[in-house]
């Protein structure tokens, strides 16, 4: 069994301060921006999964399958965003209360909308997440935070492409 360390040993082996070449102020501001991106991504994930369950009508098969592909991608995307926040020395938000405060997206409608209205809501959702990611870009760039800039680039590519594909369903 490991002996509990004495006070001096604790001081000697204390956790070193984060020193990765990004100032404490910039790390805090970037983590805050990433927390908003995490909340937006999680909210859009939940909305898309909800629509996968509740979609009805003649387009059921294709929309049900397309929504599954999209919510799976969003579900996989929340983890790298949260872990980047941790790498910057901050806690990742992960509760409905925090996400509700941080997100720029509206909550999922209580009554399931018609199929094409679902598509419209998702277009707006993907565009909103893209705006949140883009807003953070100048700060990540200024702080030479390449890992965050790289993550934002990847997320922007996905959200803008998905918004285009969904919007195409609404065009005559
Ligand atoms: Fe399913």
């Amino acid at each position: 069994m490991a002996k509990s360390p004495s006070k001096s040993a604790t001081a000697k082996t204390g956790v070193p301060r984060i020193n990765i070449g990004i100032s404490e102020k910039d790390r805090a501001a970037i983590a805050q921006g990433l927390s908003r991106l995490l909340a937006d991504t999680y909210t859009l994930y939940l909305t898309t999964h909800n629509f996968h369950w509740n979609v009805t009508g003649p387009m059921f098969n294709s929309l049900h399958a397309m929504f599954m592909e999209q919510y799976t991608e969003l579900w996989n995307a929340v983890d790298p965003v949260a872990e980047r926040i941790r790498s910057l020395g901050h806690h990742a938000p992960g509760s409905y209360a925090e996400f509700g405060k941080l997100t720029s997206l509206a909550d999922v409608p209580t009554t399931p909308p018609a199929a094409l209205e679902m598509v419209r809501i998702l277009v707006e959702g993907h565009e909103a997440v893209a705006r949140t990611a883009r807003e953070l870009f100048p700060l990540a760039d200024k702080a030479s935070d390449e890992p965050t800039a790289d993550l934002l680039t990847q997320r922007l590519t996905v959200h803008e492409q998905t918004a285009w594909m969904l919007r195409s369903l609404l065009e005559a």
Side-chain angles (χ1 to χ4, degrees), residues 49 52-53 64 68 71:
H49 208 153
H52 166 81
W53 295 324
H64 181 70
M68 182 169 80
Y71 80 65

Side-chain angles (χ1 to χ4, degrees), residues 8-71:
S8 60
T10 308
K12 246 186 248 170
T13 58
V15 181
R17 291 166 68 90
I18 294 177
N19 184 14
I20 56 172
I22 304 175
S23 73
E24 209 172 306
K25 190 167 159 271
D26 283 348
R27 280 192 289 106
I30 294 167
Q32 182 56 32
L34 286 171
S35 297
R36 286 196 292 274
L37 178 62
L38 179 60
D40 274 8
T41 308
Y42 200 97
T43 305
L44 187 58
Y45 150 73
L46 187 58
T47 304
T48 309
H49 208 153
N50 178 307
F51 291 172
H52 166 81
W53 295 324
N54 291 306
V55 68
T56 54
M59 294 172 78
F60 174 84
N61 257 340
S62 61
L63 290 182
H64 181 70
M66 188 181 74
F67 293 161
M68 182 169 80
E69 211 176 290
Q70 292 173 356
Y71 80 65

Side-chain angles (χ1 to χ4, degrees), residues 104-164:
S104 69
L105 276 72
D107 201 2
V108 192
T110 321
T111 308
L116 287 181
E117 178 60 9
M118 287 180 174
V119 172
R120 195 190 58 75
I121 289 169
L122 293 179
V123 170
E124 288 178 356
H126 281 277
E127 289 184 346
V129 188
R131 290 194 299 275
T132 299
R134 184 160 273 114
E135 257 173 42
L136 183 56
F137 217 94
L139 180 57
D141 205 32
K142 183 186 83 94
S144 301
D145 183 349
E146 279 81 7
T148 295
D150 182 52
L151 185 56
L152 294 174
T153 305
Q154 290 178 45
R155 296 316 304 154
L156 281 166
T157 305
V158 170
H159 290 296
E160 291 176 9
Q161 186 183 39
T162 311
W164 152 59

